[in-house]
Amino acid sequence: MSENEISIKKETPFFQPLLNIKMSPIVKIAEMARQLEPEYEAKHGSKFIHLERGEIDLNTPKEIINAINQKFLEGKTKYPKSGGELELKKRIAEKLRTQNQIPDIEPEDIVVTLGGQEALNLSFQLFANKVGAGFSPIWSVAIENFFPYSNITFLEVPLNKDFSIDYESLESVFHRIDFFYLNNPQNPSGKVFSKEEIERVVDLCKYHNVFLISDEAYEHIIFDGKTFTSAASIAAEKGFTNVITTYTYSKSFAATGIRVGYAVSKNKKAISLIGAAQYTHAAGAPTAVQLGLVDAYDVDLSGFIAEFQARRDALYNGLQKIESIKVNKPEGAFYMYPDFSEALKNKGLQPHQLMDVLIENGVIVVPGSAFTKQGYFEGYARLSFSAVNVEQIEVAVERLAKLFS
Amino acid sequence: MSENEISIKKETPFFQPLLNIKMSPIVKIAEMARQLEPEYEAKHGSKFIHLERGEIDLNTPKEIINAINQKFLEGKTKYPKSGGELELKKRIAEKLRTQNQIPDIEPEDIVVTLGGQEALNLSFQLFANKVGAGFSPIWSVAIENFFPYSNITFLEVPLNKDFSIDYESLESVFHRIDFFYLNNPQNPSGKVFSKEEIERVVDLCKYHNVFLISDEAYEHIIFDGKTFTSAASIAAEKGFTNVITTYTYSKSFAATGIRVGYAVSKNKKAISLIGAAQYTHAAGAPTAVQLGLVDAYDVDLSGFIAEFQARRDALYNGLQKIESIKVNKPEGAFYMYPDFSEALKNKGLQPHQLMDVLIENGVIVVPGSAFTKQGYFEGYARLSFSAVNVEQIEVAVERLAKLFS
């Protein structure tokens, strides 16, 4: 072998898309906060208020834990069925038909995945090397992980300041794309898209023959008794089957660490490829955990949702009183995405200084820039109320009021 | 939009590599057997003997089940740490240093995965669109799933009839490849590569600057007190760090359905990319399951291994008495890969008729063709003794003897 050949091989890099994946900015911020907290505590005698993580501080329902443990005791520790345990898929199909109003769903239209994350990553992988679009702001993992992993070119369609849709901007991307990504309820804005908005999106997808990937991870966390509409339900009414919807048990049941979700589609090719990719990748979610979730949708979630609504109220009502902070009222999920531009300007600060000034004042957030790659929403930040109680929220509001009033 | 543009988009296929993934031939055979079994049973008054699956019929150790359940009860249902729970990784690092004799392994050199399957799939994905090689026969999931998924061109290096290495054939591929895949103990042959054989492979990898991916899923299932050698242990002696080794809890603990394994490498870039890809794909294995495995390596496996050895003995001793079947004695794992060519020829049958004639005679196997894409080992079949007891093996041997003696 020649020296030349050796040097060529030495330079051969690993698969480029993997090199393009970024570590989550949220994890980085959480790590930084952890390092800075002792100093803050020593100086101020109080702790940081952590509004940066998407983790949930409430307990996973006991019924679910006990059901999983029972399945482990029954010896359900052998290979899961490819695509998911039939007993679970039957129950999911029933839930999709009755709760989500998606007609004609059968177990074979479903693939049980490792959380909504795997369901989404595999859905996007169907469109590797292609072009997609979705509303901005957008979940950081989508832009930092999923799209680089599948080498997807992604066009952000910015929502208006009140998080309504700019239809002109929306329509302008459709001739260029192979899929549209809708996250409803939306992370980080807390927006819940209305039936009418979803209809417009579905119509565009149908007209332009574009797949719709609908990420409904927060389907159950809906406030003020508002109705949640699944995109696939509307698509079915319109005879449009090129929809993949992804769900998870992580958010509805405060069970981010049990790693079970699912993808559903009436497009037989799409769901069969998701199944094949999932088998290839990890051979499925743990059997006992899948079987332990069969009765999960019988758990009463009203107290759980009421708690998030109380937190939303405390945060929204508090921030509303600070004139320079512009905030939309979240209708679902457990995030708020306020505009700090004016507040920063009043202090003579630049948007990129937001996080630092908030850390100095004991409130940890994720800068708005983590939720866009195209520079929209400068001066915004995501505030999560998933892992803080009302009392902690009140302290955070007090600190922000002191800083910005 | 023009009609033309619509028709172009309509033809846009999904990501081609996903379309190339094949359903496992083993699953297909198991399914076919399930359909044919009632008829066989009605006719013969006895059941099929199932030697086709890699599933294990023994129980997962109670200690492990109880430890996992305890972690669920303790509320360990929140996001796992990216790359794996530190407590588990510390214990794995200790196991790798002491049991596998791989020096200097620290938790940051390890990524906890969804079974060995995810560890392997991600290792191969590092070399997407490149060329690799490995010994033939080779695990069907590698050739039907992993390599198509990552669009890898894979060169099979056939082992000799006695499963020894043909070094000339081995050396001839190295100038063309980016990685070499070694599965030790090997599925489907039951071969355990010796220290000397591994040394030769490592030397070639080092000389040609080729990554070594060592799949050691069956590391604990070793017969006759033979010593098992980890490739990374030898590589470390030679100062070669471009090795990724994958392990699983599935086989050692009869726990195929708990879906936990790990990848380990002293190549920092490789292990960090595996971690990033794993986070992207599924965000990790369930937290409680990971933590429940911390003490797994303290479980006594001697009875478990003795059972497989007894099965191996029953199958090997039985088949040896059938002159026309050529069989090598498996040294590990729970597979045997005998040559039925002569037996078939004596009956006037072609290699592709093997499975059918065995099904007619109540013995289900996987044809040898499932373990090669390049047509080696015609007339061979894989017989698994992972899910049959000694008595069932004796019945299978009787049926084969009646057919081929």
Side-chain angles (χ1 to χ4, degrees), chain A residues 15-288:
Chain A
F15 186 42
Q16 187 60 44
L18 301 184
L19 292 157
N20 295 342
I21 294 173
K22 294 275 183 310
M23 191 182 153
S24 161
I26 302 172
V27 172
K28 270 191 222 166
I29 290 161
E31 180 56 27
M32 181 170 51
R34 205 182 57 83
Q35 285 173 20
L36 295 173
E37 187 151 16
E39 194 189 324
Y40 179 89
E41 208 175 333
K43 193 164 162 192
H44 298 273
S46 62
K47 287 178 170 295
F48 281 162
I49 306 295
H50 291 277
L51 305 178
E52 78 276 22
R53 293 289 318 267
E55 186 54 278
I56 303 169
D57 64 347
L58 306 176
N59 293 329
T60 307
K62 267 275 173 295
E63 302 94 303
I64 292 177
I65 300 296
N66 291 340
I68 292 171
N69 281 359
Q70 183 57 35
K71 295 300 170 184
F72 272 108
L73 289 173
E74 288 171 14
K76 302 296 186 193
T77 57
K78 301 312 166 81
Y79 279 122
K81 201 171 149 41
S82 182
E85 291 295 312
L86 185 60
E87 202 184 336
L88 179 61
K89 295 211 292 186
K90 281 183 179 168
R91 187 61 187 83
I92 290 171
E94 185 197 323
K95 172 260 183 188
L96 291 169
R97 290 189 304 257
T98 57
Q99 284 188 31
N100 300 89
Q101 310 278 324
I102 310 175
D104 303 324
I105 295 296
E106 300 297 334
E108 61 265 28
D109 305 321
I110 297 162
V111 171
V112 178
T113 56
L114 277 310
Q117 187 134 337
E118 189 186 44
L120 266 177
N121 193 46
L122 292 176
S123 300
F124 291 129
Q125 200 171 19
L126 292 177
F127 301 96
N129 307 318
K130 297 206 171 141
V131 183
F135 295 116
S136 180
I138 179 170
W139 184 31
S140 55
V141 172
I143 50 180
E144 300 292 4
N145 295 77
F146 298 148
F147 303 145
Y149 185 87
S150 289
N151 191 35
I152 283 168
T153 303
F154 193 79
L155 311 176
E156 295 179 27
V157 178
L159 292 169
N160 295 319
K161 293 261 162 190
D162 62 354
F163 302 141
S164 61
I165 297 174
D166 174 350
Y167 286 103
E168 202 173 318
S169 159
L170 176 64
E171 293 192 30
S172 73
V173 299
F174 266 81
H175 69 289
R176 292 182 58 194
I177 63 178
D178 291 288
F179 72 87
F180 190 83
Y181 170 55
L182 181 69
N183 175 208
N184 183 33
Q186 209 218 26
N187 175 5
S189 68
K191 177 183 173 72
V192 177
F193 290 87
S194 70
K195 192 165 182 298
E196 292 65 36
E197 289 171 319
I198 298 167
E199 276 182 343
R200 293 284 291 269
V201 170
V202 167
D203 285 341
L204 282 165
C205 286
K206 190 179 174 186
Y207 181 79
H208 292 276
N209 191 31
V210 158
F211 251 82
L212 178 58
I213 297 175
S214 186
D215 166 6
E216 302 180 1
Y218 299 94
E219 59 173 332
H220 293 114
I221 304 172
I222 304 287
F223 305 133
D224 310 317
K226 196 178 156 97
T227 306
F228 168 73
T229 307
S230 287
S233 157
I234 291 176
E237 284 173 17
K238 295 174 182 284
F240 180 62
T241 53
N242 287 347
V243 181
I244 304 167
T245 317
T246 64
Y247 295 97
T248 180
Y249 290 90
S250 297
K251 310 296 181 181
S252 304
F253 303 103
T256 51
I258 68 168
R259 312 300 315 127
V260 182
Y262 47 99
V264 56
S265 182
K266 290 300 291 181
N267 181 299
K268 295 211 174 298
K269 194 77 202 167
I271 204 72
S272 107
L273 289 180
I274 289 173
Q278 206 237 2
Y279 173 74
T280 300
H281 191 82
T287 313

Side-chain angles (χ1 to χ4, degrees), chain A residues 1 5-6 9-15 18-22 24 27 31 53-60 62 65-66 68-70 72-73 75-82 114-115 117-119 121-122 125-130 139 141 144-146 149 174-178 207-211 244 250-251 254-259 267 269-270 273-274 276-289, chain B residues 1 5-6 9-15 18-22 24 27 31 53-60 62 65-66 68-70 72-73 75-82 114-115 117-119 121-122 125-130 139 141 144-146 149 174-178 207-211 244 250-251 254-259 267 269-270 273-274 276-289:
Chain A
M1 163 168 290
E5 200 170 343
I6 286 179
K9 287 232 303 219
K10 277 211 172 120
E11 284 164 34
T12 309
F14 293 122
F15 186 42
L18 301 184
L19 292 157
N20 295 342
I21 294 173
K22 294 275 183 310
S24 161
V27 172
E31 180 56 27
R53 293 289 318 267
E55 186 54 278
I56 303 169
D57 64 347
L58 306 176
N59 293 329
T60 307
K62 267 275 173 295
I65 300 296
N66 291 340
I68 292 171
N69 281 359
Q70 183 57 35
F72 272 108
L73 289 173
K76 302 296 186 193
T77 57
K78 301 312 166 81
Y79 279 122
K81 201 171 149 41
S82 182
L114 277 310
Q117 187 134 337
E118 189 186 44
N121 193 46
L122 292 176
Q125 200 171 19
L126 292 177
F127 301 96
N129 307 318
K130 297 206 171 141
W139 184 31
V141 172
E144 300 292 4
N145 295 77
F146 298 148
Y149 185 87
F174 266 81
H175 69 289
R176 292 182 58 194
I177 63 178
D178 291 288
Y207 181 79
H208 292 276
N209 191 31
V210 158
F211 251 82
I244 304 167
S250 297
K251 310 296 181 181
T256 51
I258 68 168
R259 312 300 315 127
N267 181 299
K269 194 77 202 167
L273 289 180
I274 289 173
Q278 206 237 2
Y279 173 74
T280 300
H281 191 82
T287 313
V289 181
Chain B
M1 162 169 291
E5 198 169 346
I6 286 179
K9 286 233 302 219
K10 275 207 173 126
E11 283 164 36
T12 308
F14 293 120
F15 186 42
L18 301 184
L19 293 158
N20 295 342
I21 294 172
K22 294 276 183 308
S24 162
V27 173
E31 180 56 26
R53 294 290 318 268
E55 186 54 277
I56 303 169
D57 63 346
L58 306 176
N59 293 330
T60 307
K62 268 273 173 293
I65 300 297
N66 291 340
I68 292 172
N69 280 358
Q70 182 57 34
F72 272 108
L73 289 173
K76 302 297 187 191
T77 57
K78 302 312 166 83
Y79 279 123
K81 201 170 148 44
S82 183
L114 277 311
Q117 187 133 337
E118 188 186 45
N121 193 45
L122 293 176
Q125 199 171 21
L126 293 177
F127 301 96
N129 308 318
K130 297 205 172 140
W139 182 31
V141 171
E144 300 292 5
N145 295 78
F146 298 148
Y149 185 88
F174 265 81
H175 69 288
R176 293 182 55 191
I177 63 178
D178 292 288
Y207 181 79
H208 291 276
N209 191 31
V210 158
F211 251 81
I244 305 168
S250 296
K251 311 296 181 180
T256 51
I258 68 168
R259 313 298 317 127
N267 181 299
K269 193 77 202 170
L273 289 180
I274 288 173
Q278 205 238 2
Y279 173 76
T280 300
H281 191 81
T287 313
V289 180

Side-chain angles (χ1 to χ4, degrees), chain A residues 342-383:
Chain A
E342 194 185 319
L344 287 164
K345 204 170 154 197
N346 292 348
K347 303 278 287 185
L349 295 168
Q350 299 296 315
H352 73 267
Q353 296 175 289
L354 175 60
M355 201 175 60
D356 286 344
V357 73
L358 292 189
I359 290 178
E360 277 166 33
N361 287 273
V363 179
I364 316 300
V365 303
V366 182
S369 58
F371 304 94
T372 171
K373 278 283 196 193
Q374 290 174 227
Y376 300 118
F377 300 99
E378 203 170 60
Y380 283 65
R382 188 186 80 171
L383 281 53

